[in-house]
Coordinates of all heavy atoms in Angstrom, one line a residue:
M1 N 122.8 143.0 156.9 CA 123.9 143.8 156.4 C 124.7 144.3 157.7 O 124.0 144.6 158.7 CB 123.4 145.0 155.6 CG 122.9 144.5 154.2 SD 122.0 145.7 153.4 CE 120.4 145.2 153.7
N2 N 126.0 144.5 157.6 CA 126.8 144.9 158.7 C 127.0 146.4 158.8 O 128.0 146.9 158.4 CB 128.1 144.1 158.6 CG 128.9 144.3 160.0 OD1 128.4 144.8 160.9 ND2 130.1 143.8 159.8
F3 N 126.0 147.0 159.4 CA 126.1 148.4 159.6 C 126.7 148.8 161.0 O 126.9 149.9 161.3 CB 124.6 149.1 159.5 CG 124.2 149.2 158.1 CD1 123.5 148.1 157.5 CD2 124.4 150.4 157.4 CE1 123.1 148.2 156.2 CE2 123.8 150.5 156.1 CZ 123.2 149.4 155.5
K4 N 127.0 147.8 161.7 CA 127.5 148.0 163.1 C 129.0 148.5 163.1 O 129.4 149.0 164.1 CB 127.5 146.7 163.9 CG 126.0 146.3 164.2 CD 125.9 145.0 164.9 CE 124.5 144.6 165.1 NZ 124.2 143.5 165.7
N5 N 129.7 148.4 162.1 CA 131.1 148.8 162.0 C 131.2 150.3 161.6 O 132.4 150.8 161.5 CB 131.8 147.9 160.9 CG 132.0 146.5 161.5 OD1 132.0 146.3 162.6 ND2 132.1 145.6 160.5
I6 N 130.1 151.0 161.4 CA 130.2 152.4 161.0 C 130.6 153.2 162.3 O 129.8 153.2 163.3 CB 128.9 152.9 160.4 CG1 128.6 152.1 159.1 CG2 128.9 154.4 160.1 CD1 127.3 152.4 158.5
V7 N 131.7 153.8 162.2 CA 132.2 154.6 163.4 C 131.8 156.0 163.2 O 131.4 156.7 164.1 CB 133.7 154.4 163.5 CG1 134.2 155.3 164.6 CG2 134.1 153.0 163.7
E8 N 132.1 156.5 162.0 CA 131.8 158.0 161.6 C 130.6 158.1 160.7 O 130.5 157.4 159.8 CB 133.0 158.5 160.9 CG 133.8 159.5 161.7 CD 135.0 160.1 160.9 OE1 134.8 160.7 159.9 OE2 136.1 159.7 161.2
H9 N 129.7 159.0 161.0 CA 128.6 159.3 160.2 C 129.0 160.0 158.9 O 129.9 160.9 159.1 CB 127.5 160.1 160.9 CG 126.9 159.3 162.0 ND1 126.4 160.0 163.1 CD2 126.7 158.0 162.2 CE1 125.9 159.1 164.0 NE2 126.0 157.9 163.5
P10 N 128.5 159.7 157.8 CA 128.9 160.5 156.6 C 128.3 161.9 156.7 O 127.3 162.1 157.3 CB 128.2 159.7 155.5 CG 127.1 158.9 156.1 CD 127.5 158.7 157.6
G11 N 129.1 162.8 156.1 CA 128.6 164.2 156.1 C 127.9 164.6 154.7 O 127.3 165.7 154.7
T12 N 128.0 163.7 153.8 CA 127.4 164.0 152.5 C 126.8 162.8 152.0 O 127.1 161.7 152.4 CB 128.4 164.5 151.4 OG1 129.3 163.4 151.1 CG2 129.2 165.7 152.0
I13 N 125.9 162.9 151.0 CA 125.2 161.8 150.4 C 126.3 161.0 149.6 O 126.2 159.7 149.7 CB 124.1 162.3 149.4 CG1 123.0 162.8 150.3 CG2 123.6 161.1 148.5 CD1 121.8 163.3 149.5
E14 N 127.2 161.6 149.0 CA 128.3 160.8 148.3 C 129.1 160.0 149.3 O 129.4 158.8 149.0 CB 129.3 161.8 147.6 CG 130.3 161.1 146.8 CD 131.3 162.1 146.1 OE1 131.0 163.3 146.1 OE2 132.2 161.5 145.4
E15 N 129.4 160.5 150.5 CA 130.2 159.8 151.5 C 129.3 158.6 152.0 O 129.8 157.4 152.2 CB 130.5 160.6 152.8 CG 131.6 161.6 152.6 CD 131.8 162.4 153.7 OE1 131.4 162.1 154.9 OE2 132.4 163.5 153.6
A16 N 128.0 158.8 152.1 CA 127.1 157.7 152.5 C 127.0 156.6 151.5 O 127.1 155.4 151.7 CB 125.7 158.3 152.7
V17 N 127.0 157.0 150.2 CA 127.0 155.9 149.1 C 128.2 155.2 149.1 O 128.2 154.0 148.9 CB 126.7 156.6 147.7 CG1 127.0 155.8 146.6 CG2 125.3 157.2 147.7
N18 N 129.4 155.9 149.3 CA 130.7 155.2 149.3 C 130.7 154.2 150.5 O 131.3 153.1 150.3 CB 131.8 156.1 149.3 CG 131.9 156.9 148.1 OD1 131.6 156.4 146.9 ND2 132.5 158.1 148.1
K19 N 130.2 154.5 151.6 CA 130.1 153.5 152.7 C 129.3 152.4 152.4 O 129.6 151.3 152.7 CB 129.6 154.3 154.0 CG 130.7 155.2 154.6 CD 130.1 155.8 155.9 CE 131.1 156.8 156.5 NZ 132.1 156.2 157.2
L20 N 128.1 152.6 151.8 CA 127.3 151.5 151.4 C 127.9 150.6 150.3 O 127.7 149.4 150.4 CB 125.9 152.1 150.8 CG 125.0 152.8 151.8 CD1 123.8 153.4 151.1 CD2 124.5 151.7 152.8
L21 N 128.6 151.1 149.4 CA 129.4 150.3 148.4 C 130.3 149.3 149.1 O 130.7 148.3 148.6 CB 130.1 151.2 147.4 CG 129.2 151.9 146.5 CD1 129.9 152.9 145.6 CD2 128.3 150.9 145.6
I22 N 130.9 149.8 150.3 CA 131.8 148.8 151.0 C 131.0 147.8 151.9 O 131.4 146.7 152.0 CB 132.7 149.7 151.9 CG1 133.6 150.6 151.1 CG2 133.5 148.9 152.9 CD1 134.3 151.7 151.9
I23 N 130.0 148.3 152.4 CA 129.1 147.4 153.4 C 128.3 146.4 152.7 O 128.2 145.3 153.1 CB 128.2 148.3 154.3 CG1 129.1 149.3 155.2 CG2 127.3 147.5 155.1 CD1 128.3 150.3 155.8
L24 N 127.6 146.8 151.7 CA 126.5 146.0 151.0 C 127.2 144.8 150.2 O 128.0 145.1 149.4 CB 125.6 146.8 150.1 CG 124.7 147.8 150.7 CD1 124.0 148.6 149.7 CD2 123.7 147.2 151.6
P25 N 126.7 143.7 150.5 CA 127.2 142.5 149.7 C 126.8 142.7 148.2 O 125.9 143.4 147.8 CB 126.4 141.3 150.2 CG 125.8 141.8 151.5 CD 125.7 143.2 151.4
D26 N 127.6 142.1 147.3 CA 127.4 142.2 145.9 C 126.0 141.8 145.5 O 125.4 142.4 144.6 CB 128.4 141.4 145.1 CG 129.8 141.9 145.1 OD1 130.0 143.0 145.5 OD2 130.8 141.1 144.9
V27 N 125.4 140.8 146.1 CA 124.1 140.4 145.8 C 123.1 141.5 146.1 O 122.2 141.7 145.3 CB 123.7 139.1 146.7 CG1 122.2 138.8 146.6 CG2 124.5 137.9 146.3
E28 N 123.2 142.3 147.1 CA 122.3 143.4 147.4 C 122.5 144.5 146.5 O 121.6 145.1 146.0 CB 122.5 143.9 148.9 CG 122.0 142.9 150.0 CD 120.5 142.7 149.9 OE1 119.8 143.7 149.8 OE2 120.1 141.5 149.9
Q29 N 123.7 144.7 146.1 CA 124.0 145.8 145.2 C 123.4 145.4 143.8 O 122.8 146.3 143.1 CB 125.6 146.0 145.0 CG 126.2 146.6 146.2 CD 127.6 146.9 146.0 OE1 128.1 147.3 144.9 NE2 128.4 146.8 147.1
Q30 N 123.5 144.2 143.4 CA 123.0 143.8 142.2 C 121.4 143.9 142.2 O 120.8 144.3 141.2 CB 123.3 142.3 141.8 CG 123.1 141.9 140.4 CD 123.8 142.8 139.3 OE1 124.9 143.3 139.6 NE2 123.2 143.1 138.3
K31 N 120.7 143.5 143.3 CA 119.3 143.7 143.5 C 118.9 145.1 143.3 O 118.0 145.4 142.6 CB 119.0 143.1 144.9 CG 117.5 143.3 145.2 CD 117.3 142.8 146.7 CE 116.0 143.5 147.2 NZ 115.8 143.2 148.6
I32 N 119.7 146.0 143.9 CA 119.3 147.5 143.9 C 119.5 148.0 142.4 O 118.6 148.7 141.9 CB 120.1 148.3 144.8 CG1 119.8 147.9 146.3 CG2 119.9 149.8 144.7 CD1 120.7 148.3 147.4
K33 N 120.6 147.6 141.8 CA 120.9 148.0 140.4 C 119.8 147.6 139.5 O 119.5 148.3 138.5 CB 122.2 147.4 140.0 CG 122.6 147.8 138.6 CD 124.0 147.1 138.3 CE 124.4 147.4 136.9 NZ 125.7 146.8 136.6
S34 N 119.2 146.4 139.7 CA 118.3 145.9 138.8 C 116.8 146.5 139.0 O 115.9 146.1 138.2 CB 118.2 144.3 138.8 OG 117.7 143.9 140.1
M35 N 116.6 147.2 140.1 CA 115.3 147.7 140.4 C 115.0 148.9 139.4 O 115.9 149.6 139.0 CB 115.2 148.2 141.8 CG 115.4 147.1 142.8 SD 115.3 147.7 144.5 CE 113.6 148.0 144.7
A36 N 113.8 149.1 139.2 CA 113.3 150.3 138.5 C 113.3 151.5 139.5 O 113.1 151.3 140.7 CB 111.8 150.1 138.0
K37 N 113.7 152.7 139.1 CA 113.8 153.9 139.9 C 112.5 154.0 140.8 O 112.6 154.3 141.9 CB 114.1 155.1 139.1 CG 114.4 156.3 140.0 CD 114.8 157.5 139.1 CE 115.2 158.6 139.9 NZ 115.7 159.8 139.1
D38 N 111.4 153.8 140.1 CA 110.1 154.0 140.9 C 109.9 152.9 142.0 O 109.1 153.2 142.9 CB 108.9 154.0 139.9 CG 108.9 155.2 138.9 OD1 109.5 156.2 139.3 OD2 108.2 155.1 138.0
D39 N 110.6 151.9 141.9 CA 110.5 150.8 142.9 C 111.4 151.0 144.1 O 111.4 150.3 145.1 CB 110.8 149.4 142.3 CG 109.6 149.1 141.4 OD1 108.5 149.6 141.5 OD2 109.9 148.2 140.5
L40 N 112.3 152.0 144.1 CA 113.3 152.2 145.1 C 112.5 152.5 146.5 O 113.0 152.2 147.5 CB 114.3 153.3 144.8 CG 115.2 153.1 143.6 CD1 116.1 154.3 143.4 CD2 116.1 151.8 143.9
V41 N 111.4 153.0 146.4 CA 110.6 153.3 147.6 C 110.3 152.0 148.4 O 110.1 152.1 149.6 CB 109.3 154.1 147.2 CG1 108.3 153.1 146.5 CG2 108.7 154.7 148.5
L42 N 110.3 150.9 147.7 CA 110.1 149.7 148.4 C 111.2 149.3 149.5 O 111.1 148.4 150.3 CB 110.0 148.5 147.4 CG 108.8 148.6 146.4 CD1 109.0 147.5 145.4 CD2 107.5 148.6 147.1
L43 N 112.4 150.1 149.4 CA 113.5 149.8 150.2 C 113.4 150.7 151.5 O 114.2 150.6 152.4 CB 114.8 150.1 149.5 CG 115.1 149.2 148.3 CD1 116.4 149.7 147.6 CD2 115.2 147.7 148.7
H44 N 112.3 151.4 151.6 CA 112.2 152.4 152.8 C 112.3 151.8 154.1 O 113.0 152.3 155.0 CB 110.9 153.2 152.6 CG 110.6 154.1 153.8 ND1 111.3 155.3 153.9 CD2 109.8 154.0 154.8 CE1 110.9 155.9 154.9 NE2 110.0 155.2 155.6
F45 N 111.6 150.6 154.3 CA 111.5 150.0 155.6 C 112.6 148.9 155.9 O 112.7 148.3 156.9 CB 110.1 149.3 155.8 CG 109.0 150.3 155.9 CD1 108.1 150.5 155.0 CD2 109.0 151.2 157.1 CE1 107.1 151.5 155.0 CE2 108.0 152.1 157.2 CZ 107.0 152.3 156.2
S46 N 113.4 148.7 154.9 CA 114.6 147.8 155.0 C 115.9 148.5 155.0 O 116.4 149.0 156.0 CB 114.5 146.6 154.0 OG 114.5 147.2 152.7
L47 N 116.5 148.7 153.8 CA 117.7 149.4 153.7 C 117.5 150.9 154.1 O 118.5 151.4 154.8 CB 118.1 149.4 152.2 CG 119.4 150.2 151.9 CD1 120.6 149.7 152.7 CD2 119.7 150.2 150.4
G48 N 116.4 151.5 153.9 CA 116.3 152.9 154.3 C 116.3 153.0 155.9 O 116.9 153.9 156.4
K49 N 115.7 152.0 156.6 CA 115.7 152.0 158.0 C 117.2 151.8 158.5 O 117.6 152.5 159.4 CB 114.8 150.9 158.6 CG 114.8 150.8 160.1 CD 114.0 149.6 160.6 CE 114.8 148.4 160.2 NZ 114.8 147.3 161.1
D50 N 117.9 150.9 157.9 CA 119.3 150.7 158.3 C 120.1 151.9 158.1 O 121.0 152.2 158.9 CB 119.9 149.5 157.5 CG 119.3 148.2 157.8 OD1 118.8 148.1 159.0 OD2 119.4 147.2 157.1
I51 N 119.9 152.6 157.0 CA 120.6 153.9 156.7 C 120.3 154.9 157.7 O 121.2 155.6 158.3 CB 120.3 154.4 155.3 CG1 120.9 153.5 154.2 CG2 120.8 155.8 155.1 CD1 120.5 153.7 152.8
R52 N 119.0 155.1 158.0 CA 118.6 156.1 159.0 C 119.3 155.8 160.4 O 119.8 156.8 161.1 CB 117.1 156.2 159.1 CG 116.5 156.8 157.9 CD 114.9 157.0 158.1 NE 114.1 155.8 158.2 CZ 113.8 155.0 157.2 NH1 114.1 155.3 156.0 NH2 113.0 153.9 157.5
N53 N 119.3 154.7 160.8 CA 119.8 154.3 162.1 C 121.3 154.3 162.1 O 122.0 155.0 163.0 CB 119.4 152.8 162.5 CG 117.9 152.7 162.8 OD1 117.3 153.8 163.2 ND2 117.3 151.5 162.6
A54 N 122.0 153.8 161.1 CA 123.5 153.7 161.1 C 124.1 155.0 160.8 O 125.2 155.3 161.3 CB 124.0 152.6 160.1
F55 N 123.6 155.8 160.1 CA 124.2 157.1 159.6 C 123.6 158.3 160.5 O 123.9 159.5 160.1 CB 123.9 157.4 158.1 CG 124.6 156.4 157.2 CD1 124.2 156.5 155.9 CD2 125.5 155.5 157.6 CE1 124.9 155.6 154.9 CE2 126.1 154.6 156.7 CZ 125.8 154.6 155.4
G56 N 123.0 158.0 161.5 CA 122.6 159.0 162.5 C 121.5 160.0 162.0 O 121.4 161.1 162.4
L57 N 120.7 159.5 161.1 CA 119.6 160.4 160.5 C 118.4 160.5 161.4 O 117.5 161.3 161.1 CB 119.2 159.8 159.1 CG 120.2 159.9 158.1 CD1 119.8 159.3 156.8 CD2 120.9 161.2 157.9
N58 N 118.4 159.8 162.5 CA 117.3 159.9 163.5 C 117.6 161.0 164.5 O 117.0 160.9 165.6 CB 117.0 158.6 164.0 CG 116.3 157.6 163.1 OD1 115.5 158.1 162.2 ND2 116.7 156.4 163.1
G59 N 118.6 161.8 164.3 CA 118.8 162.9 165.2 C 120.1 163.5 165.3 O 120.3 164.7 165.5
D60 N 121.2 162.6 165.3 CA 122.5 163.2 165.7 C 123.5 163.5 164.5 O 124.6 163.8 164.7 CB 123.2 162.3 166.7 CG 123.5 160.9 166.2 OD1 122.9 160.4 165.2 OD2 124.3 160.2 166.8
N61 N 123.0 163.4 163.3 CA 123.8 163.8 162.1 C 123.2 165.0 161.5 O 122.7 165.0 160.4 CB 123.9 162.6 161.2 CG 124.9 162.9 160.1 OD1 125.3 164.0 159.9 ND2 125.2 161.9 159.4
A62 N 123.3 166.1 162.2 CA 122.7 167.4 161.7 C 123.4 167.8 160.4 O 122.7 168.5 159.6 CB 122.9 168.5 162.8
V63 N 124.7 167.5 160.2 CA 125.4 167.9 159.0 C 124.7 167.2 157.7 O 124.4 168.0 156.8 CB 126.9 167.4 159.0 CG1 127.6 167.6 157.7 CG2 127.6 168.1 160.1
L64 N 124.4 166.0 157.7 CA 123.8 165.3 156.6 C 122.3 165.7 156.5 O 121.7 165.8 155.4 CB 124.0 163.8 156.7 CG 123.5 163.0 155.5 CD1 124.1 163.5 154.2 CD2 123.9 161.5 155.6
L65 N 121.6 165.8 157.7 CA 120.2 166.0 157.6 C 120.0 167.5 157.2 O 118.9 167.7 156.4 CB 119.6 165.9 159.0 CG 119.3 164.5 159.5 CD1 118.9 164.5 160.9 CD2 118.2 164.0 158.7
G66 N 120.7 168.5 157.6 CA 120.4 169.8 157.3 C 119.1 170.1 157.9 O 118.8 169.9 159.0
K67 N 118.2 170.7 157.1 CA 116.8 171.0 157.5 C 115.8 170.0 157.0 O 114.6 170.3 156.9 CB 116.4 172.4 157.1 CG 117.3 173.5 157.8 CD 116.9 174.9 157.5 CE 117.8 175.8 158.2 NZ 117.3 177.1 158.3
R68 N 116.2 168.9 156.6 CA 115.3 167.9 155.9 C 115.0 166.7 156.9 O 115.8 166.5 157.9 CB 116.0 167.4 154.7 CG 116.3 168.5 153.7 CD 117.1 168.0 152.5 NE 116.3 167.1 151.7 CZ 116.8 166.1 151.1 NH1 118.1 165.9 151.0 NH2 116.0 165.3 150.4
C69 N 114.0 165.9 156.6 CA 113.7 164.8 157.5 C 114.5 163.6 157.0 O 115.0 163.5 156.0 CB 112.2 164.6 157.4 SG 111.6 163.7 155.9
A70 N 114.7 162.7 158.0 CA 115.5 161.5 157.8 C 115.0 160.7 156.7 O 115.8 160.1 156.0 CB 115.5 160.7 159.1
D71 N 113.6 160.6 156.5 CA 113.1 159.7 155.4 C 113.5 160.3 154.0 O 113.9 159.5 153.2 CB 111.6 159.7 155.5 CG 111.1 158.9 156.7 OD1 111.8 158.1 157.2 OD2 109.9 159.2 157.1
D72 N 113.5 161.6 153.8 CA 113.9 162.2 152.7 C 115.4 162.0 152.3 O 115.7 161.6 151.2 CB 113.6 163.6 152.6 CG 112.1 164.0 152.5 OD1 111.3 163.1 152.2 OD2 111.8 165.1 152.8
V73 N 116.2 162.1 153.4 CA 117.6 161.9 153.2 C 118.0 160.5 152.8 O 118.8 160.2 152.0 CB 118.4 162.5 154.4 CG1 119.9 162.2 154.2 CG2 118.2 164.0 154.5
S74 N 117.4 159.5 153.6 CA 117.7 158.2 153.4 C 117.2 157.8 151.9 O 117.8 157.0 151.2 CB 117.1 157.2 154.4 OG 115.7 157.3 154.4
G75 N 116.1 158.3 151.5 CA 115.6 158.1 150.1 C 116.5 158.7 149.1 O 116.9 158.0 148.1
D76 N 117.1 159.9 149.4 CA 118.1 160.4 148.4 C 119.4 159.6 148.4 O 120.0 159.4 147.3 CB 118.5 161.9 148.9 CG 117.4 162.9 148.6 OD1 116.4 162.5 147.9 OD2 117.4 164.0 149.1
I77 N 119.8 159.0 149.5 CA 121.0 158.2 149.6 C 120.7 156.9 148.7 O 121.6 156.5 147.9 CB 121.4 157.8 151.0 CG1 121.9 159.0 151.7 CG2 122.4 156.7 151.1 CD1 122.0 158.9 153.3
I78 N 119.6 156.3 148.9 CA 119.2 155.1 148.1 C 119.2 155.4 146.6 O 119.7 154.7 145.8 CB 117.9 154.5 148.6 CG1 118.0 153.9 150.0 CG2 117.4 153.4 147.6 CD1 116.7 153.5 150.6
E79 N 118.7 156.6 146.3 CA 118.5 156.9 144.8 C 120.0 157.2 144.3 O 120.3 156.7 143.2 CB 117.7 158.1 144.7 CG 117.4 158.5 143.2 CD 116.5 159.6 142.9 OE1 115.4 159.7 143.7 OE2 116.7 160.4 142.1
A80 N 120.8 157.9 145.1 CA 122.2 158.1 144.6 C 123.0 156.8 144.5 O 123.8 156.7 143.6 CB 122.8 159.1 145.6
L81 N 122.7 155.8 145.4 CA 123.4 154.5 145.3 C 122.9 153.9 144.0 O 123.7 153.3 143.3 CB 123.0 153.7 146.5 CG 123.5 152.3 146.6 CD1 125.0 152.2 146.6 CD2 122.9 151.5 147.7
W82 N 121.6 153.9 143.8 CA 121.1 153.2 142.6 C 121.7 153.8 141.3 O 122.1 153.1 140.4 CB 119.5 153.3 142.6 CG 118.9 152.8 141.4 CD1 118.6 151.6 141.1 CD2 118.5 153.7 140.3 NE1 118.0 151.5 139.8 CE2 117.9 152.7 139.3 CE3 118.5 154.9 139.9 CZ2 117.3 153.1 138.1 CZ3 118.0 155.4 138.7 CH2 117.4 154.5 137.8
E83 N 121.8 155.1 141.3 CA 122.4 155.8 140.1 C 123.9 155.4 140.0 O 124.3 155.2 138.8 CB 122.3 157.3 140.3 CG 120.8 157.8 140.1 CD 120.6 159.3 140.4 OE1 121.7 160.0 140.8 OE2 119.5 159.8 140.2
K84 N 124.6 155.3 141.0 CA 126.0 155.0 141.0 C 126.2 153.5 140.4 O 127.1 153.3 139.6 CB 126.7 155.2 142.3 CG 128.2 155.1 142.2 CD 128.9 155.8 143.3 CE 130.4 155.8 143.0 NZ 131.0 156.8 143.9
L85 N 125.3 152.7 141.0 CA 125.4 151.3 140.6 C 124.9 151.1 139.1 O 125.4 150.2 138.4 CB 124.5 150.4 141.5 CG 125.0 150.2 142.9 CD1 123.8 149.5 143.7 CD2 126.2 149.4 143.0
S86 N 124.1 152.0 138.6 CA 123.5 151.8 137.3 C 124.4 152.4 136.2 O 124.3 152.1 135.0 CB 122.2 152.5 137.2 OG 121.2 151.9 138.1
N87 N 125.4 153.2 136.6 CA 126.4 153.7 135.7 C 127.6 152.9 135.4 O 128.0 152.1 136.2 CB 126.7 155.2 136.0 CG 125.6 156.1 135.9 OD1 124.8 155.9 135.0 ND2 125.5 157.1 136.8

């Protein structure tokens, strides 16, 4: 996935999801949409890692992180993406 073109880090989960909808190929979006909610955790070391790195969740995006850990925020982003794709 092409996360290298991200210039600005998202400030909200909604902004992060909107960026993902632009970046992720249709095939990946369909794969996520077809997953059971309980299986989203399987994306932690793939899509979750890409999100943490590209969106500055490993340290420099204090706005999106707040007082939460990067793993929790990336999980919330994946879940919000799944919900948006499922509706």
Side-chain angles (χ1 to χ4, degrees):
M1 289 169 259
N2 190 5
F3 284 84
K4 294 179 182 180
N5 292 333
I6 296 174
V7 178
E8 251 181 68
H9 293 149
T12 66
I13 289 179
E14 183 178 356
E15 287 177 21
V17 168
N18 289 335
K19 286 181 183 281
L20 289 172
L21 290 172
I22 293 168
I23 296 168
L24 291 174
D26 291 341
V27 168
E28 288 298 313
Q29 290 184 34
Q30 194 61 35
K31 176 183 157 190
I32 293 165
K33 179 181 179 178
S34 67
M35 294 178 79
K37 186 175 183 178
D38 290 341
D39 290 339
L40 295 177
V41 70
L42 299 173
L43 299 174
H44 177 77
F45 291 111
S46 55
L47 179 59
K49 180 186 71 145
D50 290 339
I51 289 170
R52 290 187 295 281
N53 291 335
F55 292 171
L57 298 179
N58 289 320
D60 60 342
N61 189 347
V63 173
L64 187 54
L65 279 171
K67 295 184 180 197
R68 301 178 61 216
C69 75
D71 292 337
D72 289 345
V73 176
S74 64
D76 289 348
I77 292 169
I78 290 171
E79 186 174 323
L81 173 66
W82 175 82
E83 287 173 358
K84 189 157 193 167
L85 291 170
S86 298
N87 290 325

